[in-house]
Amino acid sequence: MVIAGKVPAFVVPFFFGAALTAFQKKTGGIRPIACGLTLRRLATKILMRQEVDTFREVLLPTQVGCGVKGGCEAAVHASRVFLDANKETGKVLVKLDFKNAFNSVRRDYMLQSVAKHFPRLQPLAQQAYGRHTMLLAGSTTLTSASGIQQGDPAGPAIFCAAVKDLADSLESELRVCYLDDFTIGGDVESVLSDINRVIEFAPKSGLQLQLSKREYYPWLKASMD
């Protein structure tokens, strides 16, 4: 029933709600982690296990943040190989990060993306994020009304679906994404063009670049600034 999206409507705000735990970020600020009901998490993990091959088929080779064992290491290795091969070529490498990505992505857009790319996940995602649910923070009750609950086992797959079209539109020589961390590398013109694509993606997705966290290899630093 959970996987098929058949949880009774009056139960949904509670069943897909969660208890919040606030963790301090190393860079300052709070990261709210949502711990949902055991039954919801179990059913979701079963579906994630069943669909792991689909995630890889749809997302690779650009997105390695879901369904790819050692995806983070693969992204680092690809970036390092690119750097080693282009030390004297004048090419640039830029690492981009979205501001508060999981909590900011627009739910209407992400649910459309899930239906498009991961249709078997859509009924569950629609029930979890198609309406407001309850978040418990100590004795305070909050409303979950935007973004993806950090702690949802389906969260990475849902987020990857939301940014897939953007990731696939990038044209630079190196394009590797780990969830909301995008690394692009190539000649200055292509990299700048891809950065503009990312910026233009903001209005329909709700995601915005966190320019204070951008990183780039120091070739042609003035041009990148």
Side-chain angles (χ1 to χ4, degrees), residues 1-17 40 107 111 121-133 149 152 158:
M1 289 177 65
V2 176
I3 291 174
K6 294 183 179 180
V7 176
F10 73 93
V11 179
V12 166
F14 310 96
F15 190 88
F16 289 100
R40 170 202 177 177
R107 288 188 172 181
L111 289 174
L121 179 57
Q122 194 273 337
L124 176 62
Q126 183 65 45
Q127 282 217 310
Y129 298 107
R131 59 182 294 183
H132 296 177
T133 55
Q149 294 176 5
D152 179 359
I158 294 173

Side-chain angles (χ1 to χ4, degrees), residues 17 19 33 56 68 70 81 98 134 139 145 147 150 179 196 202 207 217:
I33 302 300
R56 285 195 290 263
V68 181
V81 169
F98 292 106
M134 297 176 62
S139 59
Q150 296 190 58
L179 297 174
N196 285 330
L207 297 172
Y217 197 83

